[in-house]
Amino acid sequence: MPFSGFDDRVAAVRGTIAEAVRRGGHGQAVRLIAVTKTHGADAVEAAWLAGIRDVGENKVREALDKQPAVTGAATAMRWHLIGHLQRNKVKFLDRFALFHALDSARLADAVHEFGERRGVAVDALLQVNVAGEETKGGFGPSEIGKEAERLRALAGVRLVGVMTMAPFDAGEATLRRVFGGARAAREMLVLAGHPARELSMGMSSDFAVAVEEGATMVRVGTILFGARGT
């Protein structure tokens, strides 16, 4: 059977999340997003049967190919685009409930224009690069205040929170600095007038610390489905 023991792994992750919420003291509800990249429609269906209602994909093309292959009740799954989006592909945001990687002013403008054309604002998260990694996109801490003010005038995009990624193999001190920085960025959005309630941060290797620091969404794949492409 595909993904043998999947229900048990989901239960373990949910237990870890609940314990981390208690330790962190933020009292937040946490949404588990199952990252199904490189896996087939059967991964989406397994997630649904295990009680998960949100899945994440990094690439638009993979998601568009996978969505029609999903069958049964899992067709009601909420899809999240969690990876970088090229400006010429913003039209595909119609296929996603939430866009996690609003990582530049130019992309924000393109998303706004798309939202204006369709008559419904795009729900998005501002990607912040707290650690200043050159290989990752997103706004640096010093840029967030200015961009938050600018985005208030863009009615086609609705900033509902912040997304970040910690450096690979970061130690606990770095994880807490990055995740705490994202929490501070969210507060800057709130002060600028955005309905920013969400904090999307934490993956298979670091989601417990992310939840302790206030994450409201964790993006977990490997710990649920196994190594990519296997």
Side-chain angles (χ1 to χ4, degrees), residues 1-211:
M1 187 177 91
F3 312 114
S4 177
F6 185 77
D7 286 3
D8 291 339
R9 292 194 294 277
V10 170
V13 168
R14 291 198 184 281
T16 298
I17 288 171
E19 292 169 4
V21 169
R22 286 194 292 271
R23 289 195 302 269
H26 296 280
Q28 79 277 25
V30 180
R31 188 179 303 184
L32 174 58
I33 300 173
V35 179
T36 52
K37 68 178 184 180
T38 77
H39 296 288
D42 57 344
V44 179
E45 293 162 6
W48 180 272
L49 291 174
I52 295 173
R53 296 297 177 259
D54 298 85
V55 295
E57 288 287 337
N58 282 62
K59 297 180 179 180
V60 168
R61 185 71 266 162
E62 183 176 349
L64 296 182
D65 290 343
K66 194 176 300 181
Q67 286 171 347
V70 175
T71 61
T75 56
M77 187 73 84
R78 289 184 295 265
W79 292 77
H80 298 244
L81 183 60
I82 62 177
H84 173 71
L85 178 67
Q86 295 174 325
R87 296 195 307 280
N88 63 355
K89 294 182 178 179
V90 296
K91 61 186 177 182
F92 297 118
L93 288 173
D94 261 343
R95 304 289 290 273
F96 300 92
L98 181 62
F99 175 43
H100 288 233
L102 196 67
D103 60 6
S104 72
R106 292 179 70 190
L107 179 59
D109 290 342
V111 172
H112 156 67
E113 291 169 4
F114 169 72
E116 288 275 272
R117 287 196 303 272
R118 75 174 185 177
V120 179
V122 175
D123 282 349
L125 304 179
L126 195 72
Q127 182 173 337
V128 298
N129 189 348
V130 178
E133 292 183 275
E134 294 183 0
T135 57
K136 291 177 182 173
F139 294 90
S142 64
E143 302 173 297
I144 294 166
K146 181 179 179 180
E147 186 65 9
E149 290 294 333
R150 190 186 77 86
L151 286 171
R152 286 178 59 191
L154 303 186
V157 58
R158 192 169 77 111
L159 283 187
V160 298
V162 164
M163 184 273 272
T164 199
M165 293 175 285
F168 181 69
D169 284 344
E172 184 174 338
T174 299
L175 291 176
R176 294 195 184 280
R177 177 175 65 84
V178 169
F179 296 147
R183 191 174 64 248
R186 182 185 62 178
E187 294 308 308
M188 293 178 70
L189 297 186
V190 171
L191 290 173
H194 297 282
R197 300 179 181 86
E198 304 293 352
L199 266 179
S200 172
M201 56 190 195
M203 297 184 288
S204 289
S205 62
D206 57 21
F207 72 92
V209 177
V211 171

